[in-house]
Amino acid sequence: MAVGRDSGMDVDALPVASLRDVTKTYGQGDACVHALKKVTLDLYPGEVIVVLGPSGSGKTTLLNVTGGIEPVTSGEVEVCGQSLANKKPEELATLRRKHVAFIFQFFNLIQTLTAAENVSLIAELTQKSAGLHERVEEALSGVGLLERAAHFPAQMSGGQQQRVAIARALVTGPDLLLCDEPTGALDLDTGRHVLALLQAAAREQGRCVVIVTHNSGIATMADRVVRFHEGSIAQVVQQEAGEARDVTW
Amino acid sequence: MVTTHPTLRRKLRRDIRRSWPLFTALVVTVFLGVTLYAAANNAYKNLQASYDHAFDVQGFPDLFVSMADPNGYARWARQQPGVQDVRTRVQADLPFTVTSGSATTKLLGRIVGYPASGKPSVASLTPLSGASNPSKGEVLVEQHMADAFGLSPGDGLSISTAIGNVPVTVAGIASSAEYLWPAPSRQEEVVPYDSFGVLFVDEQDARAWSGAGDNQALVLLSDGTRDDSASESVLSDLSDGAISRGASNVMTRQQQPSNSVLQEDIDGFRQMAVAFPILFLSAAALSMYVLLTRRVVSERQIIGTLRASGVKGSALWWHYMSYGLWAGVIGAVLGVPLGMLLAAWMSSAYVRVIGLPSQLEQFAWLRPETLMVGLVFGVVATGVAAFFPARRAIRIAPAEAMRAESPNPKTGRSPLERIVPWAGRLPSRWWMVLRSIGRNGRRTLFTATGIALALILVLASVGLLQTMRHIVAVQFDQVATADLQALYSQPVTSTQVQRVRNVPGVDTAEAVVDTPVSVAYGDAVYATQLSAFDATTRMHGFITQSGSPMALPNDGVFVDESMTAQLPGLQVGDTVAITFTDTGDSVEAVVRGMPFEPIGAFVYASKAWLHKHVPQVGPGSVQATLRSGADAEAVRSKVTGFPGVEAVVETSALQTTFNQFTGLFNVFIGAMLALGGAMAFAIIFTTMSVNIVERERELATLRAAGVRFRTLAGLVGSENVVTAALGVVPGLALGVLAAQGLLRTYSNDQFTLPLYVSGWSLLLAAAVIMLVALVSQIPGLRAIRRMDIATVVRERSG
């Protein structure tokens, strides 16, 4: 496969996550909805993957089953070499703690905690707290919000909140970053800034970043673009990744 | 209550179905409150109606006048306005001997003169079996005495009279409203049924056996006068007329011992009918407010959309009001009939205990006013609570439809963080818990208030229970320390005392004086009893309220602490005038102390003091203490057989009677404790569930990030526990106050009920409520475990 310029993707590395013939259906009989139909996909460290598709095409479901917050109907999902099949909820939580982080469209910050506390909370609850303070500062610094560490979400713009969410996701050092419409609630400039941080996480830190979006303009920054249609992968395009700061929509 | 918009009606049904545990919790709280109201109110009205009917049927007197020759007074009283009728009779306390099987019991009894034929218009009887009137040589036995000794028509007993021992035959068993609670006097309101009995005898027999003529006049007012506001002045005039004609005692209907005791119970039911439902319905209102406010906030975009689309504000207002009103209606509709059933059971149980004849019962299964008020209570409580969130709903601007995020909850550093500089170094999860409590201050306040209400109910009940147990222990372990009292027909001699002392099993014995007196201080006069002991007596304990012993003075008297309510301003060191009823002597005495006694309100003196001032009043009884392990029954039997002994009373029998008296009470307390726990559960469950729903997205995010369920449960649980604890502190204080208030309603000159509740009980009550708080979270925590993370994390806030 071609490797994009400045991409952090390591072609020789094992996939961070693998999906094999994954199917996800909801409901039964006439009300049955096939959200995913025999999807096969590998996700590699250091790459940015943009998953495109219209509403209801299965993009978010892909994210959910990869991160283990939804079970598959059939097929295999592996994350960092561990199969998600037959794992109990607490085992899946452990897996997510170690290897996966999510970023959501509406940030999902805890309103009663400051930026620094939102970032440190996850690390506190999921990992050893040694060096936590320094890691929190580093994470906030990485997203350019160290001076806002003591501010509450209500005191920050949408973009700033999403950057805090990114810092929160990165502070635990995940291998896989799953982003569901991360710029859906943001304007163009703010969105570019957020996308740049995600791109840096892949290029500089070697994480696999999956961005689900209906916004095709974002696809230019991807190492790979996966197009979904009615629950199936319609197209996978390997490309030379553009700069996030040049994304437009 | 029905929204006019069919789709809104459908939404309402689905909203209720989807949140059925919360809706059920609300309904249950309303149901409990309305049930309590209906049960207590109907029981109170049933009992009051039954008493009123019994008093009507039997012509229960409004005034009891004791005097040497009442006939002149009776003639005068009949002429007075407002008086329907006056009857004179003989009433005398004489010893009875009842043989039941092989056991012979001597008891102090009372004979009451009754016509040999016909039913008198004043103070008549309700015959239960046998004859309705006593012929010469026959008696009608008051039902409690008949039950205690298993007497029925044809049985025999004997009366020790002025003309000697008289054997009599039981002609019938009867019920008298004067002895529904068979108390000899106000000073002896609790006596064992086999220690005091009443016989209704032919009027001529009564005069002969008592050795005197009529000595009581019974005045019956007309119904119109009794119900009139002027009745007090009529009674006052009649009392004054009696006193001016030499009456030794004047007692109103309210002061009559049986009526006094039972009326207090009825008043207790009446207060329960108000106080406890208010607690429950307040809790229901708080829960409804919290729940509905949350619903309106979460649906504000829907509301905005509807408003933007032109839906009328009134339709929306009714939609949200309906949620509250339906909870109130369902709870009330279920609660009223159950309450009425409970009332029927409570009323029946109560009248069975006191022995009110069934023919005098005036129970109504359905009282329209109870039904209406119960329904109104339930609907108004939840309706008022729903009003404010419903009003908020119609004030939401259509522009809210465009907003992605809800208005953020209150955020910021808590006061603790500002005060404690190093607080910022505490782990984030601590602040998540502590600040979450302040994110919705009103909800936190309401939750804490609900906890406090539940604790008030629990503590009021526990306080009553502990206090009753404590006063029984104080009364029978520290105050009434004699085990046995033998009453004699003549003044006790030293030989008789020694004879008792020599009975195997008796530790010590002492002659004791008990004589009726009236105590005057200022303008107030109080009729009571004076008891005189040896200065170093072991028959009676004199203690302060804290339990410190007091020594009987030789140069004054002790006056029971509770008497200060009857003799306002009386203090230790003051001088009172004591008039001895039997001799007419009057003595001034300095009050040297006011011992604490839970039961009774007596005057105490040393025999030396009494002999110095009123030598003609001598001891009429011997009190004795028994050795450990002594056969009390054998001692009693032995002493009963001594010549001159009229009756023997065991203190243990008195204690048993008292415990029976409080038996129904304990059942009531148990019910209140259970209901208090249920109320706490319902309140906390509602508010905690709302807390969890509001923070679903946060919690789902943490789960998505891999936070363990146990950790999450700990965070949520900690927040709820801290909120509950905020209610515990004021709840404890208010609960103690409520218990004190409740005890005050049961206290009178004969029952002194200072609140006694141990520190352990307070801790236990708080611990129980906290445990309920923890348990009530379980459904909410289960919901977190089952949460569809994938769905929730994508939701907009709401």
Side-chain angles (χ1 to χ4, degrees):
Chain A
M1 284 184 284
V3 175
R5 181 168 57 92
D6 292 330
S7 166
M9 182 180 167
D10 181 355
V11 294
D12 295 323
L14 291 172
V16 170
S18 293
L19 290 84
R20 292 283 175 271
D21 292 328
V22 167
T23 299
K24 175 69 181 177
T25 55
Y26 299 99
Q28 290 174 345
D30 291 343
C32 189
V33 174
H34 299 278
L36 294 176
K37 299 173 186 172
K38 289 191 174 300
V39 170
T40 296
L41 185 65
D42 287 330
L43 309 173
Y44 290 92
E47 68 168 339
V48 174
I49 299 170
V50 169
V51 180
L52 287 175
S55 281
S57 57
K59 320 185 288 296
T60 300
T61 308
L62 175 78
L63 225 57
N64 293 342
V65 302
T66 305
I69 60 174
E70 259 194 292
V72 298
T73 307
S74 66
E76 286 265 326
V77 179
E78 271 190 18
V79 174
C80 292
Q82 294 183 57
S83 170
L84 303 194
N86 302 319
K87 272 199 165 23
K88 293 177 186 160
E90 287 308 311
E91 290 170 325
L92 291 171
T94 304
L95 193 79
R96 287 197 297 276
R97 256 199 314 280
K98 291 176 180 172
H99 301 294
V100 182
F102 282 89
I103 296 192
F104 305 103
Q105 179 178 1
F106 296 110
F107 332 130
N108 292 16
L109 297 180
I110 295 172
Q111 299 297 314
T112 51
L113 297 180
T114 62
E117 287 162 353
N118 263 286
V119 174
S120 70
L121 179 69
I122 301 293
E124 247 178 56
L125 296 178
T126 60
Q127 298 177 341
K128 291 194 178 14
S129 50
L132 180 61
H133 187 67
E134 291 74 22
R135 282 190 284 142
V136 169
E137 279 194 352
E138 195 184 318
L140 283 173
S141 192
V143 299
L145 284 176
L146 188 58
E147 77 281 4
R148 303 285 250 166
H151 288 228
F152 290 89
Q155 297 167 311
M156 293 189 270
S157 66
Q160 288 169 335
Q161 290 188 58
Q162 192 63 297
R163 283 148 67 190
V164 171
I166 293 172
R168 178 179 66 184
L170 294 178
V171 78
T172 57
D175 300 295
L176 184 59
L177 201 56
L178 302 172
C179 311
D180 187 8
E181 303 274 9
T183 60
L186 307 175
D187 59 76
L188 178 59
D189 281 341
T190 312
R192 279 172 175 165
H193 199 162
V194 166
L195 292 171
L197 290 169
L198 295 174
Q199 194 172 54
R203 286 178 175 176
E204 294 165 22
Q205 297 169 19
R207 309 188 197 284
C208 176
V209 177
V210 180
I211 300 172
V212 157
T213 181
H214 63 274
N215 186 345
S216 55
I218 294 175
T220 58
M221 66 172 271
D223 297 296
R224 263 197 295 167
V225 178
V226 176
R227 288 188 188 276
F228 260 77
H229 180 69
E230 293 185 353
S232 301
I233 295 178
Q235 186 185 40
V236 178
V237 174
Q238 194 81 37
Q239 65 183 26
E240 192 158 315
E243 294 300 321
R245 60 175 178 267
D246 296 328
V247 158
T248 186
W249 61 79
Chain B
M1 205 178 74
V2 178
T3 58
T4 55
H5 201 290
T7 307
L8 282 178
R9 280 206 298 276
R10 206 174 300 136
K11 176 182 177 297
L12 176 67
R13 280 197 299 275
R14 286 181 190 157
D15 287 344
I16 291 173
R17 232 187 344 257
R18 252 186 261 134
S19 66
W20 71 264
L22 288 171
F23 188 78
T24 305
L26 286 168
V27 168
V28 165
T29 314
V30 172
F31 164 76
L32 289 175
V34 172
T35 301
L36 264 179
Y37 163 74
N41 191 61
N42 258 23
Y44 145 65
K45 291 198 168 166
N46 283 345
L47 293 174
Q48 189 67 67
S50 299
Y51 286 155
D52 290 345
H53 181 65
F55 289 177
D56 263 345
V57 165
Q58 295 189 3
F60 192 87
D62 293 282
L63 206 66
F64 298 75
V65 176
S66 300
M67 57 202 307
D69 180 8
N71 292 300
Y73 171 77
R75 278 192 296 274
W76 171 81
R78 282 192 196 99
Q79 315 290 326
Q80 303 311 304
V83 172
Q84 181 169 308
D85 201 357
V86 182
R87 177 162 88 90
T88 60
R89 69 180 184 189
V90 175
Q91 179 171 294
D93 289 348
L94 297 172
F96 299 165
T97 303
V98 180
T99 301
S100 183
S102 59
T104 299
T105 306
K106 286 185 179 176
L107 64 152
L108 249 195
R110 176 169 296 171
I111 60 167
V112 179
Y114 198 74
S117 64
K119 182 183 167 190
S121 61
V122 187
S124 68
L125 302 173
T126 299
L128 299 177
S129 66
S132 303
N133 298 78
S135 302
K136 280 182 76 60
E138 290 180 339
V139 296
L140 300 182
V141 181
E142 194 277 324
Q143 61 169 351
H144 293 90
M145 179 179 168
D147 290 341
F149 293 101
L151 294 170
S152 47
D155 288 342
L157 61 146
S158 67
I159 306 174
S160 180
T161 75
I163 56 173
N165 220 35
V166 176
V168 293
T169 306
V170 175
I173 313 296
S175 169
S176 167
E178 292 179 60
Y179 298 101
L180 288 174
W181 184 264
S185 66
R186 289 220 65 229
Q187 286 70 42
E188 298 169 275
E189 283 186 348
V190 181
V191 291
Y193 289 161
D194 62 355
S195 296
F196 173 73
V198 180
L199 299 175
F200 300 94
V201 309
D202 173 78
E203 284 170 322
Q204 287 185 7
D205 279 344
R207 291 184 195 109
W209 297 345
S210 66
D214 290 356
N215 58 2
Q216 253 196 356
L218 310 169
V219 182
L220 183 70
L221 298 182
S222 64
D223 289 343
T225 304
R226 187 179 305 116
D227 300 335
D228 196 84
S229 54
S231 64
E232 272 204 38
S233 71
V234 170
L235 284 172
S236 175
D237 291 343
L238 289 165
S239 299
D240 291 343
I243 291 169
S244 69
R245 284 166 176 76
S248 58
N249 189 35
V250 179
M251 184 171 66
T252 63
R253 175 186 277 202
Q254 286 71 29
Q255 293 167 332
Q256 196 272 339
S258 172
N259 187 33
S260 163
V261 168
L262 297 178
Q263 196 61 51
E264 264 189 23
D265 275 357
I266 295 180
D267 287 346
F269 276 120
R270 184 166 53 80
Q271 278 156 9
M272 266 172 57
V274 174
F276 288 127
I278 285 178
L279 271 179
F280 278 88
L281 295 175
S282 300
L286 287 176
S287 301
M288 174 58 69
Y289 177 86
V290 164
L291 184 62
L292 211 51
T293 300
R294 172 63 209 159
R295 179 171 291 283
V296 167
V297 167
S298 69
E299 293 182 357
R300 88 205 180 291
Q301 287 166 310
I302 297 168
I303 295 167
T305 304
L306 292 174
R307 296 287 276 142
S309 308
V311 171
K312 277 189 189 163
S314 57
L316 281 172
W317 185 80
W318 266 117
H319 173 66
Y320 289 103
M321 278 295 293
S322 299
Y323 190 93
L325 293 173
W326 270 115
V329 165
I330 295 172
V333 163
L334 293 173
V336 166
L338 181 65
M340 289 184 175
L341 276 174
L342 269 178
W345 174 80
M346 282 160 61
S347 310
S348 298
Y350 193 84
V351 298
R352 259 199 309 278
V353 166
I354 64 169
L356 184 77
S358 55
Q359 55 264 52
L360 295 177
E361 289 174 10
Q362 294 288 291
F363 292 174
W365 293 94
L366 176 69
R367 289 184 188 274
E369 70 277 12
T370 304
L371 180 70
M372 290 310 303
V373 173
L375 286 173
V376 166
F377 264 177
V379 170
V380 165
T382 51
V384 167
F387 174 82
F388 297 98
R391 188 179 63 166
R392 182 175 178 167
I394 62 172
R395 287 179 176 179
I396 289 174
E400 285 296 310
M402 316 304 175
R403 291 196 194 282
E405 293 290 319
S406 68
N408 283 324
K410 189 174 156 194
T411 58
R413 298 197 183 278
S414 60
L416 179 64
E417 293 171 80
R418 286 184 248 272
I419 294 167
V420 182
W422 51 261
R425 288 189 228 137
L426 290 172
S428 301
R429 60 184 177 277
W430 288 37
W431 294 119
M432 186 178 160
V433 169
L434 292 174
R435 284 185 207 144
S436 290
I437 292 162
R439 71 193 279 140
N440 190 321
R442 204 175 287 172
R443 186 189 307 152
T444 301
L445 175 66
F446 285 1
T447 306
T449 304
I451 298 292
L453 289 176
L455 207 40
I456 287 170
L457 187 59
V458 167
L459 270 180
S461 310
V462 168
L464 277 177
L465 195 63
Q466 278 214 303
T467 300
M468 285 301 190
R469 287 195 177 153
H470 177 70
I471 64 162
V472 168
V474 167
Q475 180 70 23
F476 293 103
D477 293 343
Q478 294 179 261
V479 174
T481 49
D483 294 309
L484 185 143
Q485 181 177 31
L487 301 160
Y488 287 76
S489 53
Q490 299 293 327
V492 172
T493 64
S494 55
T495 306
Q496 286 169 317
V497 176
Q498 190 58 45
R499 188 175 287 149
V500 173
R501 214 174 267 141
N502 290 342
V503 172
V506 171
D507 186 22
T508 185
E510 178 186 326
V512 174
V513 178
D514 292 306
T515 185
V517 298
S518 61
V519 181
Y521 180 73
D523 295 330
V525 178
Y526 182 67
T528 179
Q529 175 175 287
L530 183 144
S531 296
F533 299 89
D534 290 339
T536 54
T537 184
R538 286 169 52 188
M539 302 303 147
H540 197 96
F542 300 101
I543 56 172
T544 62
Q545 195 166 327
S546 58
S548 306
M550 300 166 69
L552 199 55
N554 274 327
D555 58 345
V557 296
F558 278 166
V559 164
D560 192 282
E561 197 181 47
S562 62
M563 229 182 274
T564 53
Q566 315 302 320
L567 303 171
L570 181 64
Q571 292 178 358
V572 174
D574 289 342
T575 301
V576 293
I578 301 176
T579 303
F580 290 78
T581 309
D582 289 346
T583 64
D585 292 293
S586 190
V587 176
E588 287 201 341
V590 177
V591 176
R592 295 294 180 198
M594 292 188 179
F596 166 66
E597 289 194 3
I599 301 171
F602 303 128
V603 179
Y604 297 99
S606 66
K607 284 192 294 194
W609 179 90
L610 183 64
H611 185 72
K612 179 180 169 187
H613 291 93
V614 193
Q616 57 274 42
V617 175
S621 67
V622 174
Q623 292 190 9
T625 58
L626 303 184
R627 294 188 209 285
S628 172
D631 184 346
E633 189 49 45
V635 172
R636 177 188 171 144
S637 183
K638 182 86 177 173
V639 172
T640 300
F642 286 165
V645 171
E646 293 181 331
V648 177
V649 181
E650 283 177 70
T651 308
S652 61
L654 192 57
Q655 188 170 358
T656 302
T657 303
F658 195 81
N659 287 337
Q660 285 169 353
F661 175 55
T662 54
L664 264 183
F665 182 78
N666 289 341
V667 170
F668 157 69
I669 293 298
M672 286 299 109
L673 284 171
L675 291 175
M679 184 164 90
F681 185 95
I683 293 164
I684 302 169
F685 169 70
T686 303
T687 52
M688 299 315 174
S689 300
V690 168
N691 281 345
I692 289 170
V693 162
E694 185 174 80
R695 299 171 58 214
E696 242 184 353
R697 205 161 59 131
E698 285 177 9
L699 299 174
T701 301
L702 292 175
R703 277 298 268 161
V707 174
R708 288 192 181 93
F709 168 74
R710 206 168 57 219
T711 307
L712 219 53
L715 289 173
V716 171
S718 300
E719 182 188 326
N720 294 337
V721 163
V722 171
T723 305
L726 287 176
V728 163
V729 172
L732 285 175
L734 292 171
V736 167
L737 287 175
Q740 281 176 338
L742 206 52
L743 282 167
R744 264 197 294 274
T745 66
Y746 285 99
S747 294
N748 56 30
D749 57 326
Q750 297 303 313
F751 288 104
T752 306
L753 302 174
L755 176 66
Y756 175 81
V757 61
S758 66
W760 282 114
S761 296
L762 293 177
L763 278 175
L764 190 62
V768 165
I769 292 297
M770 294 305 291
L771 182 65
V772 169
L774 285 171
V775 167
S776 64
Q777 294 179 104
I778 291 175
L781 293 176
R782 271 214 205 112
I784 295 176
R785 191 192 275 274
R786 287 195 305 254
M787 184 166 52
D788 184 345
I789 302 170
T791 303
V792 175
V793 293
R794 297 206 79 218
E795 285 172 357
R796 285 179 162 189
S797 73

